[in-house]
Amino acid sequence: MRPDLERLGLWDEDWARRRFLDTYVPANTDIIEVDEKPMGVIAVRSEVDAQWIEHFYLDPAIQGRGIGSQVLRYVMDAHCDARPFRLAIDRGSAARWLYERVGFVHLYDDSNGVDQIFGAPGTAAART
């Protein structure tokens, strides 16, 4: 997250820490393991009208190998119901291609000036 916020001229360590801690719920979070080593995390926050993918972080050492796509598809299948999936990414984030590749589309830019909101269908049939 830091490189994107630095690119946008918005990096503030205290703000970033608060933003993370205000939304982090351990019960919603899964550890991503590769070769039995923790290499990332991903969380799903359920709301009445959507399921939010949050805190999806992969160690840079394993990025670019398709692992992120596999994890995202697995998590979406595991939480699949009629509700759509939503996520927020920093404006201009390189992660956008990953989300678009698995079916997310840009919905709108958040009024905070940082986040872009993306959505994908909730049902497995609609995503295939």
Side-chain angles (χ1 to χ4, degrees), residues 17-121:
R17 181 175 282 117
R18 266 192 327 274
R19 183 178 183 194
F20 176 82
L21 292 174
D22 286 350
T23 60
Y24 175 67
V25 178
N28 295 348
T29 307
D30 290 310
I31 304 297
I32 300 164
E33 291 186 354
V34 177
D35 296 327
E36 299 181 15
K37 296 179 187 172
M39 299 299 282
V41 296
I42 189 169
V44 179
R45 174 175 46 93
S46 293
E47 293 195 355
V48 173
D49 61 344
Q51 298 188 81
W52 286 84
I53 305 288
E54 299 179 316
H55 306 299
F56 186 17
Y57 306 110
L58 285 179
D59 186 308
I62 63 166
Q63 292 177 6
R65 296 193 217 167
I67 295 169
S69 296
Q70 290 175 354
V71 168
L72 195 53
R73 285 185 182 109
Y74 177 84
V75 166
M76 290 172 72
D77 285 345
H79 292 270
C80 189
D81 62 24
R83 294 172 292 174
F85 288 95
R86 298 283 184 263
L87 56 86
I89 63 171
D90 295 334
R91 210 169 357 110
S93 173
R96 179 177 181 158
W97 68 269
L98 163 66
Y99 298 120
E100 288 178 336
R101 192 170 57 192
V102 298
F104 281 85
V105 296
H106 178 254
L107 299 175
Y108 60 92
D109 290 352
D110 193 284
S111 61
N112 68 12
V114 176
D115 296 321
Q116 292 185 302
I117 308 302
F118 284 73

Side-chain angles (χ1 to χ4, degrees), residues 1-12:
M1 189 169 102
R2 182 176 182 156
D4 281 335
L5 293 174
E6 285 178 340
R7 179 183 45 77
L8 294 169
L10 298 171
W11 174 250
D12 176 288

